[in-house]
Amino acid sequence: MLIAAPALAQTAPHADPKRLSDDVRTLAAPDFGGRAPGTPGEKRTLDWLVARFKALGLAPAGSNGQYLQQVPLVHTRVAPDAAMRVGDLTMVQGKEVAVTSVRPAATIAITDSPLVFVGYGVRAPEAKWDDFKGMDLRGKTLVFLVNDPDFEAQPGDDAKGRFGDRRMTYYGRWTYKFEEAARQGAAAALIIHDTAGAGYPWSTVNASNGENYDIVRGADDPRVPLQGWIEHDTAERLFAAAGLDLAALRVKARSASFRPVAMGKSFSAAATVKVERITSANVLAKIPGRTRPRESVMFAAHWDAYGDGPPDASGRTLRPGANDDALGTAGVVELARLFKAGPAPERSLVFALWTGEERGLLGSEFYAAHPTMPLATTAANLTLDILQTAGPAKDVVLVGPGQSTLDPLLAAAARGQGRTITPETFSERGLFYRADHFSTVRRGVPALLLMALGGAPDLAEGGQTAGQKWLDDYMACYHKTCDSWDAGWDLRGAAMDVDLFHTVGVRLARPGVWPSWSPGSEFAATRDRSGAERK
């Protein structure tokens, strides 16, 4: 169903900046311990969030009539002395390569696995693209380029415009490449790092220090035994030693006729892995629908942050995640308050607070694999993950513009506030695929993401110049100890963003409103397969 863009009036009451600030101050306090899964801070966080939803009068939406959905996790750490080599080239963990494993196995043993360059490693039927061409890759070590085939495409290349030009699709994400390697039966997967294509430097991919998390998976959903990144200069040396020109192969990988290239070299790895099992939890509450209780609209954020870490220059170790994403969590709680204060909705409204986002969207992924509300009749997922704290803005920065017919609804709600929509600045970084909404997106559920990392806001005071300064200052604290609550925050702009989702949610709570994916979307076919359930 194509949704028109009516002028949607703001529906009172409005989100309260003081409530948002008070909730963030609590969640980012030292006694919440940085809200890391599997720590005492988690229990305090879960207890507090459940108490808030109970006090608001929301019903539980978790497992077995509870507010919590238990999420079993595997926590692994590859030993720093992991031995990896290709021929005479020894690769040091953290220097030439940065690898992890998400399999619950205590050892990794890969012996003489043939290296195969698979280009961008994309299999996209809707784009008539297949980098694998049916080649048997079982037991091989696959070497990928980061991003999409058209990230560097030039006019005349087959890939030009086929994957959204510079806008990254899911095929460009490292998560997709590791998943595809597992589907191919590979022994290992290595992505060649380059800062432009990845959107972040080598220090970011190396920051895991061999550590990883995953949900507990069934035998029908295996992961690749070893996954990670190979440093760019190391990759160039490796290709040269194999008699291959990496730069020339980059060009060939932009052709639809590209076929995997056997490199004539083998990869071996031996490592011990520390394996720990953790049970974490999502927090799920709902306002049941009055006439269509199995149809729903979801509002979501993640409650987790990074907990304790290495000391900063001041000796602080706690990473409280005040904006990322205590503020988004506070926004979801505030949305629950606003909707509960209004008339009973016809569709159910689900308020989801996820665990394990910082470890790879794990809580939302577990929910998407084990939903407590049918995904086929979830009209949309509206996610808050980092909001700006510098006051009212004249625009709304939209991550992933053009993805679905939700865009006109957001534009109409913004117009009701006297605001406009600004597309994200760096679409090639793939932010749309890096937040929790994506776990339901990949199952076909249309979504909107408000994430302040998408670009500098046009602030009411100071314009984009002031907005860029705010963004630069925040990024200096991203995932660090200084992402802490500040009494000087001006949360009027954040409250306006919460109000946007309230207005859009009021519209989506009406029966018969089914947002759809834009033509050519990689998620349209998945949504279409469940179309009969939305008749």
Side-chain angles (χ1 to χ4, degrees), residues 1-6 405-406 408-409 507-508 512-516:
M1 171 184 175
L2 182 64
I3 299 177
T405 56
L406 285 168
L409 284 183
R507 171 69 171 167
L508 293 173
V513 179
W514 295 111
S516 60

Side-chain angles (χ1 to χ4, degrees), residues 297-500:
V297 183
M298 174 175 281
F299 305 89
H302 68 90
W303 62 255
D304 70 304
Y306 273 102
D308 264 321
D312 64 12
S314 301
R316 295 177 298 179
T317 61
L318 193 67
R319 296 168 289 183
N323 196 339
D324 183 16
D325 191 28
L327 182 52
T329 296
V332 170
V333 173
E334 186 69 351
L335 282 164
R337 182 185 72 84
L338 296 180
F339 278 109
K340 191 62 178 174
E346 294 191 69
R347 285 175 165 167
S348 295
L349 304 180
V350 177
F351 303 90
L353 299 171
W354 311 118
T355 182
E357 188 274 348
E358 301 293 7
R359 311 299 182 174
L361 316 184
L362 299 182
S364 58
E365 176 64 19
F366 186 85
Y367 176 88
H370 308 277
T372 61
M373 295 289 288
L375 296 184
T377 52
T378 299
N381 177 318
L382 309 184
T383 288
L384 299 171
D385 193 346
I386 305 176
L387 302 175
Q388 61 90 359
T389 59
K394 294 178 280 187
D395 65 348
V396 182
V397 177
L398 175 60
V399 175
Q403 290 280 359
S404 75
T405 56
L406 285 168
D407 288 10
L409 284 183
L410 184 68
R415 204 161 48 243
Q417 295 181 336
R419 302 166 74 188
T420 59
I421 299 293
T422 297
E424 62 180 317
T425 304
F426 301 107
S427 60
E428 68 273 17
R429 295 180 181 175
L431 287 178
F432 187 76
Y433 309 95
R434 291 164 55 183
D436 279 308
H437 68 295
F438 185 67
S439 297
T440 54
V441 161
R442 62 191 299 189
R443 272 82 172 182
V445 178
L448 287 174
L449 169 66
L450 294 185
M451 177 183 272
L453 303 187
D458 185 6
L459 295 175
E461 296 183 13
Q464 287 188 330
T465 300
Q468 188 63 56
K469 183 182 185 307
W470 173 84
L471 182 57
D472 292 342
D473 289 347
Y474 175 71
M475 290 305 298
C477 286
Y478 182 53
H479 290 172
K480 297 178 182 177
T481 58
C482 52
D483 183 10
S484 56
W485 175 82
D486 189 333
W489 280 355
D490 184 344
L491 294 184
R492 289 178 295 165
M496 291 175 72
D497 287 346
V498 173
D499 282 339
L500 286 177

Side-chain angles (χ1 to χ4, degrees), residues 99-463:
V99 299
T100 66
S101 177
V102 291
R103 284 195 172 187
T107 60
I108 294 170
I110 299 172
T111 303
D112 295 330
S113 168
L115 281 164
V116 181
F117 174 66
V118 294
Y120 289 92
V122 171
R123 186 171 54 176
E126 75 283 355
K128 297 181 173 57
W129 196 277
D130 180 8
D131 283 328
F132 300 101
K133 304 296 190 295
M135 184 174 178
D136 184 359
L137 297 170
R138 288 173 294 181
K140 308 292 199 306
T141 293
L142 308 189
V143 181
F144 295 80
L145 296 173
V146 71
N147 218 299
D148 294 316
D150 66 355
F151 174 65
E152 296 180 310
Q154 303 299 312
D157 288 341
D158 291 344
K160 184 63 176 174
R162 203 177 295 207
F163 295 88
D165 287 314
R166 295 280 289 181
R167 179 182 66 83
M168 185 188 287
T169 66
Y170 184 52
Y171 301 115
R173 290 283 291 143
W174 57 266
T175 48
Y176 168 80
K177 298 175 193 295
F178 294 154
E179 290 164 3
E180 191 60 53
R183 285 189 285 267
Q184 296 290 337
L190 296 173
I191 300 172
I192 299 170
H193 177 265
D194 73 80
T195 298
Y200 33 76
W202 175 254
S203 60
T204 298
V205 301
N206 192 33
S208 67
N209 195 28
E211 182 183 34
N212 214 332
Y213 289 77
D214 197 14
I215 61 173
V216 174
R217 298 181 183 272
D220 60 342
D221 187 21
R223 302 289 94 176
V224 68
L226 186 73
Q227 63 186 46
W229 299 75
I230 181 168
E231 192 271 332
H232 183 272
D233 291 348
T234 301
E236 287 195 330
R237 291 196 300 272
L238 176 59
F239 276 71
L244 299 170
D245 184 340
L246 178 56
L249 287 172
R250 284 180 180 275
V251 176
K252 288 184 178 180
R254 305 199 294 259
S255 169
S257 63
F258 173 84
R259 302 183 67 85
V261 177
M263 297 178 62
K265 297 281 186 178
S266 295
F267 174 76
S268 296
T272 58
V273 183
K274 181 180 178 181
V275 180
E276 177 185 17
R277 292 183 180 270
I278 296 171
T279 299
S280 188
N282 296 323
V283 184
L284 297 162
K286 66 182 176 181
I287 302 174
R290 180 167 47 86
T291 61
R292 304 289 184 95
R294 284 181 59 79
E295 297 178 8
S296 65
V297 183
M298 174 175 281
F299 305 89
H302 68 90
W303 62 255
D304 70 304
Y306 273 102
D308 264 321
D312 64 12
S314 301
R316 295 177 298 179
T317 61
L318 193 67
R319 296 168 289 183
N323 196 339
D324 183 16
D325 191 28
L327 182 52
T329 296
V332 170
V333 173
E334 186 69 351
L335 282 164
R337 182 185 72 84
L338 296 180
F339 278 109
K340 191 62 178 174
E346 294 191 69
R347 285 175 165 167
S348 295
L349 304 180
V350 177
F351 303 90
L353 299 171
W354 311 118
T355 182
E357 188 274 348
E358 301 293 7
R359 311 299 182 174
L361 316 184
L362 299 182
S364 58
E365 176 64 19
F366 186 85
Y367 176 88
H370 308 277
T372 61
M373 295 289 288
L375 296 184
T377 52
T378 299
N381 177 318
L382 309 184
T383 288
L384 299 171
D385 193 346
I386 305 176
L387 302 175
Q388 61 90 359
T389 59
K394 294 178 280 187
D395 65 348
V396 182
V397 177
L398 175 60
V399 175
Q403 290 280 359
S404 75
T405 56
L406 285 168
D407 288 10
L409 284 183
L410 184 68
R415 204 161 48 243
Q417 295 181 336
R419 302 166 74 188
T420 59
I421 299 293
T422 297
E424 62 180 317
T425 304
F426 301 107
S427 60
E428 68 273 17
R429 295 180 181 175
L431 287 178
F432 187 76
Y433 309 95
R434 291 164 55 183
D436 279 308
H437 68 295
F438 185 67
S439 297
T440 54
V441 161
R442 62 191 299 189
R443 272 82 172 182
V445 178
L448 287 174
L449 169 66
L450 294 185
M451 177 183 272
L453 303 187
D458 185 6
L459 295 175
E461 296 183 13

